[in-house]
Amino acid sequence: MASPFSSCKQKHAFLSSLLLFLPLLLLISSSVADLSFNFYGSSCPGAEFIVRNTVRSASSSDPSVLGKLLRLVFHDCFVQGCDASVLVRGNSTERSDPGNASLGGFDVIESAKNVLEIFCPGIVSCADVLVLAARDAVEALGGPVVAIPTGRRDGTVSAAENVRPNIIDTDFTVDKMINIFSSKGLSVQDLVVLSGAHTVGAAHCNTFNSRFTRDPRGNFELIDASLDNSYAQTLLNKCSSSMDPTTTVVNNDPETSSTFDNQYYKNLLAHKGLFQTDSALMEDDRTRKIVEILANDEESFLERWTESFMKMSVIGVRVGEEGEIRRSCSSVN
């Protein structure tokens, strides 16, 4: 079987993250101790290879799916923990909530699961597939290779009512964001580092177009002074090209949207954060200092991303006899 690493540097980064986070696993929670690296080593040795191949294949025909997979894991882990509950179809499920209406990447997860069910039926959880796929998406975009412990089990409950109290809305203050992250066991540094996911992906105009408008004469008018004027005008022009702001999309990062790098933080220093929550990171001393460090040191960002992503990937995991191993990711057994 071919090596999953495209370079010696990536292999070194993977091994380094593995050594770094073995002690961290034992500190986060008791349930996390039931996870392990290479959990499927004997029961389904090709599991991670299958997920990585599926992600790479899907992105070759649709590069935008990589950003979608990364966003998808955030919306899963922040609501009830990393249990793949966001994947479940049906009325009143998390997936049906308007806050999740623009999520994508579901087909990639289902495709990987279908292949896994052929070779290892009933063994690999959808929760693990989702976390691994998001990890592999970052790698495919040029980001770090993160060693991810596996052994998660799938949740059996998916309720729309759990979504809104647990996800970050684009108009949140820093205090609100810190409170949500803290409730998940994540720090202020994790908040700033994981916000770096906005270095890739795209957003619909209705999530940020309240920051500017046109006056009655049709002239540009800036509402949010924390946004660069010329950047805001560019956004207005792009969003004005369509009558439906829920369908028009704009890259989160106007500079290097297809590369996982620290450009997001450089954009923030230039007042070019797409969302109000992005710009808010520059308005608070607790977060601005971290933004400045990451903007000037890409290696530091990638190292901290590895740590913060791993921490997020073990929020509220089901292990042992908890939950189940779904046969299909879109429905409970």
Side-chain angles (χ1 to χ4, degrees):
M1 183 176 292
S3 170
F5 306 109
S6 57
S7 69
C8 291
K9 183 178 180 181
Q10 284 192 329
K11 184 174 183 180
H12 175 73
F14 179 86
L15 293 175
S16 296
S17 66
L18 188 66
L19 292 173
L20 179 61
F21 301 122
L22 279 171
L24 184 59
L25 278 178
L26 301 177
L27 296 176
I28 296 175
S29 73
S30 57
S31 63
V32 173
D34 290 328
L35 301 179
S36 63
F37 296 99
N38 199 30
F39 180 85
Y40 301 108
S42 58
S43 59
C44 188
E48 295 196 24
F49 181 82
I50 288 170
V51 174
R52 180 178 280 107
N53 260 12
T54 304
V55 169
R56 293 282 180 152
S57 177
S59 66
S60 66
S61 57
D62 178 14
S64 71
V65 78
L66 298 173
K68 293 173 183 177
L69 288 169
L70 184 53
R71 182 170 179 238
L72 188 58
V73 79
F74 274 81
H75 281 243
D76 184 49
C77 291
F78 271 71
V79 183
Q80 298 198 153
C82 305
D83 66 348
S85 53
V86 75
L87 305 178
V88 179
R89 288 183 180 274
N91 296 329
S92 300
T93 63
E94 292 175 31
R95 188 167 171 175
S96 72
D97 185 86
N100 286 335
S102 62
L103 291 179
F106 297 100
D107 290 346
V108 180
I109 304 302
E110 202 67 62
S111 294
K113 176 64 172 175
N114 289 341
V115 176
L116 288 165
E117 285 299 297
I118 293 172
F119 291 100
C120 318
I123 299 296
V124 182
S125 70
C126 298
D128 276 342
V129 173
L130 178 50
V131 171
L132 291 170
R135 183 271 304 272
D136 295 338
V138 170
E139 178 193 340
L141 288 160
V145 183
V146 184
I148 293 293
T150 45
R152 297 165 189 75
R153 290 173 65 84
D154 300 321
T156 56
V157 175
S158 180
E161 64 188 25
N162 294 329
V163 175
R164 295 309 178 91
N166 289 289
I167 60 174
I168 303 293
D169 208 342
T170 54
D171 64 352
F172 274 17
T173 63
V174 169
D175 281 335
K176 282 186 176 180
M177 290 189 284
I178 288 176
N179 287 341
I180 287 186
F181 269 67
S182 178
S183 71
K184 313 301 176 187
L186 300 173
S187 67
V188 174
Q189 175 172 289
D190 294 322
L191 163 61
V192 179
V193 171
L194 291 172
S195 293
H198 289 166
T199 194
V200 295
H204 293 89
C205 288
N206 64 312
T207 61
F208 58 81
N209 63 2
S210 62
R211 307 181 73 188
F212 44 80
T213 190
R214 290 192 189 278
D215 65 21
R217 296 182 178 181
N219 298 317
F220 166 78
E221 182 179 340
L222 184 64
I223 296 175
D224 187 345
S226 66
L227 190 62
D228 176 78
N229 193 291
S230 62
Y231 178 51
Q233 290 189 52
T234 299
L235 293 174
L236 176 62
N237 291 334
K238 288 183 178 179
C239 292
S240 299
S241 64
S242 170
M243 296 299 292
D244 187 356
T246 64
T247 58
T248 304
V249 295
V250 173
N251 289 330
N252 292 340
D253 177 354
E255 305 296 333
T256 59
S257 60
S258 60
T259 304
F260 194 87
D261 54 20
N262 69 333
Q263 182 63 46
Y264 165 76
Y265 302 102
K266 296 177 182 179
N267 294 340
L268 295 189
L269 294 184
H271 303 286
K272 294 182 179 180
L274 184 62
F275 304 115
Q276 192 172 324
T277 45
D278 295 326
S279 297
L281 298 179
M282 287 296 295
E283 305 297 321
D284 191 292
D285 287 342
R286 293 168 294 180
T287 52
R288 185 180 64 252
K289 294 175 182 177
I290 303 172
V291 169
E292 291 171 346
I293 291 171
L294 301 181
N296 291 298
D297 189 345
E298 183 169 278
E299 185 175 347
S300 177
F301 164 56
L302 297 179
E303 288 177 354
R304 297 187 195 198
W305 170 268
T306 300
E307 177 181 349
S308 295
F309 183 82
M310 203 287 291
K311 287 174 66 177
M312 182 185 73
S313 77
V314 296
I315 295 173
V317 294
R318 274 73 170 160
V319 294
E321 298 301 314
E322 300 173 316
E324 63 183 13
I325 304 297
R326 288 186 213 142
R327 289 184 290 272
S328 168
C329 292
S330 61
S331 61
V332 296
N333 293 343

